[in-house]
Amino acid sequence: MRDDSRTKAWERRSELPLGVASLLFLGAYAVHVLGPGLPTWVHVVCLTVICAAWALFVADFLVRWGAAGRRLAFVRRHWLDAVVVVLPLLRPLRVVRFYEAVQRRNGRPRLSLHVRVMLYAGLSAVLLGFAASLTVYQHERTAPHATIHTFGDSVWWACSTLSTVGYGDVAPVTVVGRLVAVGLMACGLALLGAVTGSFSSWLVEVFTREEPPES
Amino acid sequence: MRDDSRTKAWERRSELPLGVASLLFLGAYAVHVLGPGLPTWVHVVCLTVICAAWALFVADFLVRWGAAGRRLAFVRRHWLDAVVVVLPLLRPLRVVRFYEAVQRRNGRPRLSLHVRVMLYAGLSAVLLGFAASLTVYQHERTAPHATIHTFGDSVWWACSTLSTVGYGDVAPVTVVGRLVAVGLMACGLALLGAVTGSFSSWLVEVFTREEPPES
Amino acid sequence: MRDDSRTKAWERRSELPLGVASLLFLGAYAVHVLGPGLPTWVHVVCLTVICAAWALFVADFLVRWGAAGRRLAFVRRHWLDAVVVVLPLLRPLRVVRFYEAVQRRNGRPRLSLHVRVMLYAGLSAVLLGFAASLTVYQHERTAPHATIHTFGDSVWWACSTLSTVGYGDVAPVTVVGRLVAVGLMACGLALLGAVTGSFSSWLVEVFTREEPPES
Amino acid sequence: MRDDSRTKAWERRSELPLGVASLLFLGAYAVHVLGPGLPTWVHVVCLTVICAAWALFVADFLVRWGAAGRRLAFVRRHWLDAVVVVLPLLRPLRVVRFYEAVQRRNGRPRLSLHVRVMLYAGLSAVLLGFAASLTVYQHERTAPHATIHTFGDSVWWACSTLSTVGYGDVAPVTVVGRLVAVGLMACGLALLGAVTGSFSSWLVEVFTREEPPES
């Protein structure tokens, strides 16, 4: 049965808990990866939080998918949510929607379109880069002949990858690390392209506004 | 004699076999390159398939070129087919047209223009990268001082080249490998540029649609 | 009390001294970094000039901020000035505004929009690259395992970073150097994107003007 | 005295000899750099051709500049010619104008704007890359710790620089080589950006034309 108003109500109520779950997921994953020397119970808590958050997202997706009238159209319109269910690495992208929801609650945003695209795409790129740094660090730190030894190296690698500079002084050597790297290149570059493109348009707009052409 | 309707009929009937031939060509080439330890008869079969597919493309081009009224205009409008006849490496681009034809048979595509450009250009980039990886791997694996030792290295190199990141931890050293690399840079970057550009436009469009400016 | 006309008068009068202060700041910083063998009093003078220029910028920002009616809106409209107060590395961007002011004093610029965007963004990129080269050189020259040994290496690194080529033959290894590098990537690439985008538009414009389409 | 018609007549008559001189200049420079083992008289002939071509360009510029009524406006409109007079490395860009003139003589070009921008910018990038390869090879081949040993290395380096991939397996180490590299980054990337941008627009145009949206 198609019930748009009920779906909308569900989405409005679930925005805040899902956003908090996203942040908890990322935080727990970061603590798990960056603190190998912490006591075992901390890691157990972290893994529990990760699994719980993942389960929450799957449940939310299933509920909304079940309530949707045209199910294929639903998946096509909410493909990001569907991808997040499969690949927890992309979960931080959900945080952008959360940020948007919080902002909307405090009154409608009054930022121009260019600034909003820059802000959201930039935020997504930062979160994606952070998640990729964590995953690559987790898989590279024990690999033989690895060049990524510390988390700082991993962040540095993610920055040089996202900006397509690619110095190559540090680069992943394991299969998992390279798969993550390819994903970061594909997603991140598109996001960065959006940021750069919006920045250019915005710059031209600012110049046009500040100095009107003499008529 | 100019006969547009007959050419169109030929193109409609030849789309499916030519698409299958493209996939067979790529598959046979991949088996030939990636399975050096396979028995000889497998390689003989692969090379036969490669040559047969090539011959098929040449024949198709000649038939359509012969049937075309204005032959120079024909070459200009179908330059991709002409290039494919000379450079089998670019044959996978033909698969995109095949994919398009299959989609059209199942009813007209309802995707927006941006999504279609992203899909086709992305698919072309993936196929080009795969073909380039195969060729580079074939020529680099036995070269002295090579940094590309496995097919995994080759795919990793193709990804870092297509995204213009270019770490340089692995890079071709032979003349053939570098020629393929230059071709991949030239073609692939343009395709990737199209994907990134479309993604940016699409992102802006989504933002515009989701949150209309307050009037 | 909101007093737009007084703010505008202040801005008009302060443009010249602030521009000179920006250039003095950058010059003094360059002398301080590039001349480690100079007598002590030269370094004392340089550091004095640096601090004085910084104080001048803080004072100017506070005066204008205090005079502004809507203070949050003021920060949002003059975010570049606010950032400059915190990060002296970005101060050279102020010089662009100075250059603009000098040009406007000599009669309104008659350059087209594309050329102006290219000019200002290019100038900003050059100044940012110069400031980043200085800072990176200062922090890398004494670091162990550093690849940046001379100021020439540092400038070469900045150029290859700004163009996103990123050879990786020289790259920062210290934490401060890498932070500056990330900043240079983020700011510089956006500026360079603006230059490239404007150049493309301008090129298309020139072609369109030079050869009108046959009607 | 301002005499537009006389200037135009001069330009029309000088196009062919200047184009030929450009090609001779590039060819003589290539022979001089790539054939260190050739007999001395060949090098003398090459250097004579180089100097003669240079003199021809200076003379042409001076004649047109002298004939122009508004001299500053003339320099601004023909800035490429002015730059070519100072930097012979950029002379190949003149060949693009020559190519255009030859094409126009054979009837007006009927290519669309996108294709023309792609063609001319691509041709300029190829010629610039070739000239930069020659110069870098000339200065790097005898430098200590150089990674560019053969002309093939130099061309490979130019390609990876122009596409902003920048592997870094070969990179200039001398001051002159790095200055040329920075120039190649600045000019070449802008040209390549124009090519990529035009290609994207053209791709979108082709898609729009081939499959009109269902109304």
Side-chain angles (χ1 to χ4, degrees), chain C residues 101-131:
Chain C
V102 167
Q103 258 220 340
R104 207 178 292 161
R105 194 151 299 184
N106 305 337
R108 289 186 61 82
R110 273 182 301 276
L111 296 166
S112 78
L113 183 66
H114 289 315
V115 176
R116 234 167 336 120
V117 171
M118 272 165 67
L119 207 64
Y120 294 159
L123 194 60
S124 304
V126 166
L127 287 169
L128 260 183
F130 184 61

Side-chain angles (χ1 to χ4, degrees), chain D residues 1-10 12 67-69 77:
Chain D
M1 200 191 82
R2 193 171 163 211
D3 194 346
D4 252 19
S5 65
R6 217 164 71 185
T7 308
K8 278 208 189 306
W10 170 271
R12 217 176 303 119
R77 280 197 57 192

Side-chain angles (χ1 to χ4, degrees), chain C residues 25-37:
Chain C
F25 177 88
L26 196 62
Y29 186 55
V31 169
H32 175 61
V33 170
L34 298 180

